mmCIF file of all heavy atoms in Angstrom:
data_model
loop_
_atom_site.group_PDB
_atom_site.id
_atom_site.type_symbol
_atom_site.label_atom_id
_atom_site.label_comp_id
_atom_site.label_asym_id
_atom_site.label_seq_id
_atom_site.Cartn_x
_atom_site.Cartn_y
_atom_site.Cartn_z
ATOM 1 N N VAL A 5 -59.371 222.764 58.126
ATOM 2 C CA VAL A 5 -59.107 221.580 58.948
ATOM 3 C C VAL A 5 -57.868 220.849 58.460
ATOM 4 O O VAL A 5 -56.986 220.473 59.259
ATOM 5 C CB VAL A 5 -60.337 220.655 58.935
ATOM 6 C CG1 VAL A 5 -60.027 219.333 59.637
ATOM 7 C CG2 VAL A 5 -61.523 221.328 59.612
ATOM 8 N N LEU A 6 -57.754 220.629 57.153
ATOM 9 C CA LEU A 6 -56.637 219.854 56.630
ATOM 10 C C LEU A 6 -55.310 220.600 56.745
ATOM 11 O O LEU A 6 -54.263 219.986 56.982
ATOM 12 C CB LEU A 6 -56.895 219.486 55.166
ATOM 13 C CG LEU A 6 -57.954 218.411 54.932
ATOM 14 C CD1 LEU A 6 -58.199 218.221 53.444
ATOM 15 C CD2 LEU A 6 -57.524 217.088 55.562
ATOM 16 N N SER A 7 -55.329 221.921 56.594
ATOM 17 C CA SER A 7 -54.078 222.674 56.732
ATOM 18 C C SER A 7 -53.535 222.594 58.147
ATOM 19 O O SER A 7 -52.325 222.409 58.361
ATOM 20 C CB SER A 7 -54.298 224.131 56.325
ATOM 21 O OG SER A 7 -55.257 224.749 57.180
ATOM 22 N N ASN A 8 -54.418 222.690 59.134
ATOM 23 C CA ASN A 8 -53.973 222.533 60.522
ATOM 24 C C ASN A 8 -53.509 221.107 60.804
ATOM 25 O O ASN A 8 -52.566 220.893 61.572
ATOM 26 C CB ASN A 8 -55.115 222.900 61.479
ATOM 27 C CG ASN A 8 -55.405 224.384 61.482
ATOM 28 O OD1 ASN A 8 -54.514 225.199 61.251
ATOM 29 N ND2 ASN A 8 -56.645 224.751 61.717
ATOM 30 N N TYR A 9 -54.157 220.147 60.194
ATOM 31 C CA TYR A 9 -53.753 218.754 60.395
ATOM 32 C C TYR A 9 -52.391 218.487 59.747
ATOM 33 O O TYR A 9 -51.542 217.786 60.326
ATOM 34 C CB TYR A 9 -54.812 217.835 59.806
ATOM 35 C CG TYR A 9 -54.661 216.399 60.219
ATOM 36 C CD1 TYR A 9 -55.299 215.910 61.351
ATOM 37 C CD2 TYR A 9 -53.887 215.516 59.476
ATOM 38 C CE1 TYR A 9 -55.170 214.591 61.733
ATOM 39 C CE2 TYR A 9 -53.761 214.186 59.853
ATOM 40 C CZ TYR A 9 -54.390 213.738 60.984
ATOM 41 O OH TYR A 9 -54.251 212.430 61.362
ATOM 42 N N MET A 10 -52.159 219.026 58.557
ATOM 43 C CA MET A 10 -50.885 218.798 57.872
ATOM 44 C C MET A 10 -49.725 219.487 58.575
ATOM 45 O O MET A 10 -48.576 219.037 58.485
ATOM 46 C CB MET A 10 -50.985 219.275 56.423
ATOM 47 C CG MET A 10 -51.891 218.429 55.554
ATOM 48 S SD MET A 10 -52.017 219.059 53.867
ATOM 49 C CE MET A 10 -53.204 217.901 53.169
ATOM 50 N N LYS A 11 -50.008 220.583 59.272
ATOM 51 C CA LYS A 11 -48.943 221.253 60.018
ATOM 52 C C LYS A 11 -48.427 220.404 61.172
ATOM 53 O O LYS A 11 -47.314 220.631 61.662
ATOM 54 C CB LYS A 11 -49.457 222.590 60.553
ATOM 55 C CG LYS A 11 -49.661 223.649 59.493
ATOM 56 C CD LYS A 11 -50.215 224.931 60.081
ATOM 57 C CE LYS A 11 -50.479 225.967 59.002
ATOM 58 N NZ LYS A 11 -51.075 227.213 59.566
ATOM 59 N N SER A 12 -49.231 219.443 61.632
ATOM 60 C CA SER A 12 -48.816 218.582 62.736
ATOM 61 C C SER A 12 -47.879 217.462 62.285
ATOM 62 O O SER A 12 -47.303 216.777 63.122
ATOM 63 C CB SER A 12 -50.044 217.977 63.419
ATOM 64 O OG SER A 12 -50.740 217.120 62.537
ATOM 65 N N VAL A 13 -47.737 217.247 60.962
ATOM 66 C CA VAL A 13 -46.806 216.227 60.472
ATOM 67 C C VAL A 13 -45.379 216.711 60.736
ATOM 68 O O VAL A 13 -45.036 217.848 60.424
ATOM 69 C CB VAL A 13 -47.025 215.974 58.970
ATOM 70 C CG1 VAL A 13 -46.032 214.942 58.441
ATOM 71 C CG2 VAL A 13 -48.455 215.521 58.717
ATOM 72 N N PRO A 14 -44.503 215.880 61.316
ATOM 73 C CA PRO A 14 -43.139 216.320 61.647
ATOM 74 C C PRO A 14 -42.373 216.803 60.420
ATOM 75 O O PRO A 14 -42.425 216.185 59.352
ATOM 76 C CB PRO A 14 -42.501 215.055 62.247
ATOM 77 C CG PRO A 14 -43.653 214.244 62.742
ATOM 78 C CD PRO A 14 -44.778 214.510 61.797
ATOM 79 N N GLU A 15 -41.679 217.901 60.582
ATOM 80 C CA GLU A 15 -40.905 218.472 59.495
ATOM 81 C C GLU A 15 -39.761 217.558 59.079
ATOM 82 O O GLU A 15 -39.317 217.583 57.923
ATOM 83 C CB GLU A 15 -40.358 219.834 59.934
ATOM 84 C CG GLU A 15 -39.625 220.612 58.861
ATOM 85 C CD GLU A 15 -40.558 221.071 57.750
ATOM 86 O OE1 GLU A 15 -41.752 221.283 58.038
ATOM 87 O OE2 GLU A 15 -40.081 221.220 56.607
ATOM 88 N N GLU A 16 -39.261 216.738 60.006
ATOM 89 C CA GLU A 16 -38.153 215.844 59.689
ATOM 90 C C GLU A 16 -38.513 214.858 58.579
ATOM 91 O O GLU A 16 -37.645 214.423 57.815
ATOM 92 C CB GLU A 16 -37.714 215.078 60.946
ATOM 93 C CG GLU A 16 -37.060 215.935 62.017
ATOM 94 C CD GLU A 16 -38.061 216.740 62.818
ATOM 95 O OE1 GLU A 16 -39.280 216.503 62.622
ATOM 96 O OE2 GLU A 16 -37.633 217.586 63.623
ATOM 97 N N MET A 17 -39.782 214.469 58.491
ATOM 98 C CA MET A 17 -40.195 213.537 57.451
ATOM 99 C C MET A 17 -40.070 214.164 56.067
ATOM 100 O O MET A 17 -39.615 213.514 55.116
ATOM 101 C CB MET A 17 -41.634 213.089 57.689
ATOM 102 C CG MET A 17 -41.843 212.340 58.989
ATOM 103 S SD MET A 17 -43.543 211.779 59.217
ATOM 104 C CE MET A 17 -43.695 210.636 57.852
ATOM 105 N N TYR A 18 -40.400 215.424 55.946
ATOM 106 C CA TYR A 18 -40.259 216.113 54.664
ATOM 107 C C TYR A 18 -38.790 216.370 54.336
ATOM 108 O O TYR A 18 -38.392 216.311 53.168
ATOM 109 C CB TYR A 18 -41.038 217.418 54.690
ATOM 110 C CG TYR A 18 -42.528 217.232 54.749
ATOM 111 C CD1 TYR A 18 -43.209 217.295 55.956
ATOM 112 C CD2 TYR A 18 -43.264 216.976 53.598
ATOM 113 C CE1 TYR A 18 -44.587 217.114 56.015
ATOM 114 C CE2 TYR A 18 -44.637 216.807 53.647
ATOM 115 C CZ TYR A 18 -45.285 216.867 54.854
ATOM 116 O OH TYR A 18 -46.649 216.684 54.909
ATOM 117 N N GLU A 19 -37.990 216.654 55.344
ATOM 118 C CA GLU A 19 -36.552 216.835 55.109
ATOM 119 C C GLU A 19 -35.915 215.541 54.630
ATOM 120 O O GLU A 19 -35.070 215.547 53.715
ATOM 121 C CB GLU A 19 -35.887 217.325 56.391
ATOM 122 C CG GLU A 19 -36.325 218.718 56.817
ATOM 123 C CD GLU A 19 -35.713 219.136 58.133
ATOM 124 O OE1 GLU A 19 -35.023 218.291 58.755
ATOM 125 O OE2 GLU A 19 -35.927 220.293 58.551
ATOM 126 N N ALA A 20 -36.324 214.418 55.223
ATOM 127 C CA ALA A 20 -35.792 213.129 54.772
ATOM 128 C C ALA A 20 -36.242 212.819 53.349
ATOM 129 O O ALA A 20 -35.478 212.263 52.541
ATOM 130 C CB ALA A 20 -36.246 212.015 55.719
ATOM 131 N N ALA A 21 -37.482 213.187 53.018
ATOM 132 C CA ALA A 21 -37.971 212.969 51.657
ATOM 133 C C ALA A 21 -37.217 213.824 50.654
ATOM 134 O O ALA A 21 -36.911 213.377 49.535
ATOM 135 C CB ALA A 21 -39.465 213.263 51.584
ATOM 136 N N LEU A 22 -36.872 215.048 51.046
ATOM 137 C CA LEU A 22 -36.092 215.914 50.158
ATOM 138 C C LEU A 22 -34.698 215.351 49.931
ATOM 139 O O LEU A 22 -34.162 215.410 48.820
ATOM 140 C CB LEU A 22 -36.015 217.322 50.750
ATOM 141 C CG LEU A 22 -37.245 218.219 50.580
ATOM 142 C CD1 LEU A 22 -37.066 219.516 51.344
ATOM 143 C CD2 LEU A 22 -37.496 218.500 49.098
ATOM 144 N N VAL A 23 -34.099 214.804 50.985
ATOM 145 C CA VAL A 23 -32.777 214.194 50.847
ATOM 146 C C VAL A 23 -32.822 213.015 49.881
ATOM 147 O O VAL A 23 -31.888 212.789 49.094
ATOM 148 C CB VAL A 23 -32.249 213.756 52.231
ATOM 149 C CG1 VAL A 23 -30.962 212.949 52.099
ATOM 150 C CG2 VAL A 23 -31.999 214.973 53.108
ATOM 151 N N ASP A 24 -33.917 212.269 49.911
ATOM 152 C CA ASP A 24 -34.074 211.125 49.003
ATOM 153 C C ASP A 24 -34.467 211.541 47.595
ATOM 154 O O ASP A 24 -34.629 210.690 46.721
ATOM 155 C CB ASP A 24 -35.135 210.165 49.550
ATOM 156 C CG ASP A 24 -34.669 209.487 50.827
ATOM 157 O OD1 ASP A 24 -33.445 209.427 51.048
ATOM 158 O OD2 ASP A 24 -35.537 209.037 51.604
ATOM 159 N N GLY A 25 -34.638 212.836 47.365
ATOM 160 C CA GLY A 25 -34.965 213.323 46.036
ATOM 161 C C GLY A 25 -36.430 213.292 45.682
ATOM 162 O O GLY A 25 -36.793 213.280 44.494
ATOM 163 N N ALA A 26 -37.301 213.296 46.689
ATOM 164 C CA ALA A 26 -38.738 213.259 46.415
ATOM 165 C C ALA A 26 -39.205 214.600 45.864
ATOM 166 O O ALA A 26 -38.848 215.661 46.390
ATOM 167 C CB ALA A 26 -39.502 212.912 47.693
ATOM 168 N N SER A 27 -40.029 214.541 44.829
ATOM 169 C CA SER A 27 -40.573 215.764 44.249
ATOM 170 C C SER A 27 -41.717 216.281 45.105
ATOM 171 O O SER A 27 -42.150 215.661 46.077
ATOM 172 C CB SER A 27 -41.052 215.486 42.827
ATOM 173 O OG SER A 27 -42.105 214.533 42.845
ATOM 174 N N LEU A 28 -42.226 217.462 44.724
ATOM 175 C CA LEU A 28 -43.333 218.049 45.468
ATOM 176 C C LEU A 28 -44.571 217.156 45.385
ATOM 177 O O LEU A 28 -45.275 216.974 46.387
ATOM 178 C CB LEU A 28 -43.641 219.438 44.912
ATOM 179 C CG LEU A 28 -44.730 220.233 45.642
ATOM 180 C CD1 LEU A 28 -44.295 220.558 47.061
ATOM 181 C CD2 LEU A 28 -45.065 221.519 44.884
ATOM 182 N N TRP A 29 -44.841 216.595 44.216
ATOM 183 C CA TRP A 29 -45.990 215.707 44.063
ATOM 184 C C TRP A 29 -45.829 214.428 44.895
ATOM 185 O O TRP A 29 -46.783 213.952 45.493
ATOM 186 C CB TRP A 29 -46.178 215.357 42.595
ATOM 187 C CG TRP A 29 -47.212 214.293 42.366
ATOM 188 C CD1 TRP A 29 -46.998 212.984 42.059
ATOM 189 C CD2 TRP A 29 -48.634 214.456 42.464
ATOM 190 N NE1 TRP A 29 -48.190 212.314 41.935
ATOM 191 C CE2 TRP A 29 -49.213 213.191 42.180
ATOM 192 C CE3 TRP A 29 -49.476 215.535 42.750
ATOM 193 C CZ2 TRP A 29 -50.586 212.987 42.180
ATOM 194 C CZ3 TRP A 29 -50.845 215.332 42.751
ATOM 195 C CH2 TRP A 29 -51.384 214.076 42.469
ATOM 196 N N THR A 30 -44.606 213.890 44.941
ATOM 197 C CA THR A 30 -44.361 212.683 45.735
ATOM 198 C C THR A 30 -44.559 212.966 47.213
ATOM 199 O O THR A 30 -45.140 212.154 47.940
ATOM 200 C CB THR A 30 -42.941 212.165 45.486
ATOM 201 O OG1 THR A 30 -42.777 211.898 44.080
ATOM 202 C CG2 THR A 30 -42.675 210.891 46.273
ATOM 203 N N ARG A 31 -44.093 214.111 47.673
ATOM 204 C CA ARG A 31 -44.290 214.463 49.084
ATOM 205 C C ARG A 31 -45.765 214.652 49.408
ATOM 206 O O ARG A 31 -46.207 214.348 50.518
ATOM 207 C CB ARG A 31 -43.510 215.742 49.420
ATOM 208 C CG ARG A 31 -42.019 215.523 49.647
ATOM 209 C CD ARG A 31 -41.321 216.844 49.870
ATOM 210 N NE ARG A 31 -41.062 217.512 48.599
ATOM 211 C CZ ARG A 31 -40.894 218.816 48.468
ATOM 212 N NH1 ARG A 31 -41.016 219.615 49.521
ATOM 213 N NH2 ARG A 31 -40.632 219.340 47.294
ATOM 214 N N PHE A 32 -46.523 215.124 48.445
ATOM 215 C CA PHE A 32 -47.956 215.311 48.682
ATOM 216 C C PHE A 32 -48.713 213.985 48.620
ATOM 217 O O PHE A 32 -49.456 213.635 49.542
ATOM 218 C CB PHE A 32 -48.522 216.292 47.651
ATOM 219 C CG PHE A 32 -50.020 216.321 47.596
ATOM 220 C CD1 PHE A 32 -50.751 216.873 48.638
ATOM 221 C CD2 PHE A 32 -50.703 215.791 46.500
ATOM 222 C CE1 PHE A 32 -52.141 216.890 48.591
ATOM 223 C CE2 PHE A 32 -52.088 215.812 46.446
ATOM 224 C CZ PHE A 32 -52.806 216.359 47.491
ATOM 225 N N TRP A 33 -48.526 213.235 47.533
ATOM 226 C CA TRP A 33 -49.356 212.066 47.276
ATOM 227 C C TRP A 33 -48.920 210.834 48.075
ATOM 228 O O TRP A 33 -49.759 210.078 48.558
ATOM 229 C CB TRP A 33 -49.339 211.755 45.781
ATOM 230 C CG TRP A 33 -50.228 210.622 45.393
ATOM 231 C CD1 TRP A 33 -49.867 209.377 44.972
ATOM 232 C CD2 TRP A 33 -51.662 210.628 45.399
ATOM 233 N NE1 TRP A 33 -50.970 208.613 44.723
ATOM 234 C CE2 TRP A 33 -52.087 209.352 44.974
ATOM 235 C CE3 TRP A 33 -52.628 211.589 45.721
ATOM 236 C CZ2 TRP A 33 -53.436 209.020 44.862
ATOM 237 C CZ3 TRP A 33 -53.961 211.257 45.623
ATOM 238 C CH2 TRP A 33 -54.352 209.989 45.195
ATOM 239 N N ARG A 34 -47.615 210.638 48.224
ATOM 240 C CA ARG A 34 -47.127 209.407 48.850
ATOM 241 C C ARG A 34 -46.741 209.586 50.309
ATOM 242 O O ARG A 34 -46.546 208.590 51.007
ATOM 243 C CB ARG A 34 -45.934 208.856 48.064
ATOM 244 C CG ARG A 34 -46.245 208.572 46.603
ATOM 245 C CD ARG A 34 -45.110 207.884 45.909
ATOM 246 N NE ARG A 34 -44.850 206.565 46.492
ATOM 247 C CZ ARG A 34 -43.888 205.744 46.056
ATOM 248 N NH1 ARG A 34 -43.098 206.124 45.039
ATOM 249 N NH2 ARG A 34 -43.702 204.570 46.625
ATOM 250 N N LEU A 35 -46.626 210.825 50.769
ATOM 251 C CA LEU A 35 -46.257 211.055 52.163
ATOM 252 C C LEU A 35 -47.391 211.703 52.955
ATOM 253 O O LEU A 35 -47.778 211.208 54.019
ATOM 254 C CB LEU A 35 -45.000 211.938 52.237
ATOM 255 C CG LEU A 35 -44.507 212.310 53.639
ATOM 256 C CD1 LEU A 35 -44.137 211.062 54.431
ATOM 257 C CD2 LEU A 35 -43.320 213.263 53.550
ATOM 258 N N THR A 36 -47.942 212.798 52.445
ATOM 259 C CA THR A 36 -48.930 213.552 53.213
ATOM 260 C C THR A 36 -50.308 212.898 53.199
ATOM 261 O O THR A 36 -50.939 212.764 54.247
ATOM 262 C CB THR A 36 -49.027 214.984 52.667
ATOM 263 O OG1 THR A 36 -47.714 215.575 52.643
ATOM 264 C CG2 THR A 36 -49.941 215.830 53.533
ATOM 265 N N ILE A 37 -50.771 212.504 52.029
ATOM 266 C CA ILE A 37 -52.124 211.944 51.925
ATOM 267 C C ILE A 37 -52.305 210.679 52.775
ATOM 268 O O ILE A 37 -53.317 210.556 53.480
ATOM 269 C CB ILE A 37 -52.489 211.683 50.453
ATOM 270 C CG1 ILE A 37 -52.604 213.019 49.690
ATOM 271 C CG2 ILE A 37 -53.789 210.906 50.346
ATOM 272 C CD1 ILE A 37 -53.675 213.936 50.233
ATOM 273 N N PRO A 38 -51.357 209.719 52.757
ATOM 274 C CA PRO A 38 -51.557 208.556 53.649
ATOM 275 C C PRO A 38 -51.623 208.918 55.125
ATOM 276 O O PRO A 38 -52.360 208.284 55.887
ATOM 277 C CB PRO A 38 -50.330 207.670 53.348
ATOM 278 C CG PRO A 38 -49.937 208.038 51.960
ATOM 279 C CD PRO A 38 -50.203 209.504 51.856
#
């Protein structure tokens, strides 16, 4: 259930987080979980 739900999050949000230098843990804990 959660993998299908996380796939619906726009990819642009992760690209913007990468540009800002967010680590893998930051993208998981501060972006995906909320």
Side-chain angles (χ1 to χ4, degrees):
V5 173
L6 287 175
S7 62
N8 289 330
Y9 193 91
M10 291 178 183
K11 289 178 183 178
S12 65
V13 178
E15 185 67 29
E16 292 77 8
M17 298 182 64
Y18 292 97
E19 294 176 355
L22 281 174
V23 172
D24 292 338
S27 63
L28 184 65
W29 172 256
T30 302
R31 281 176 280 156
F32 167 71
W33 184 250
R34 302 187 63 180
L35 178 61
T36 306
I37 293 299

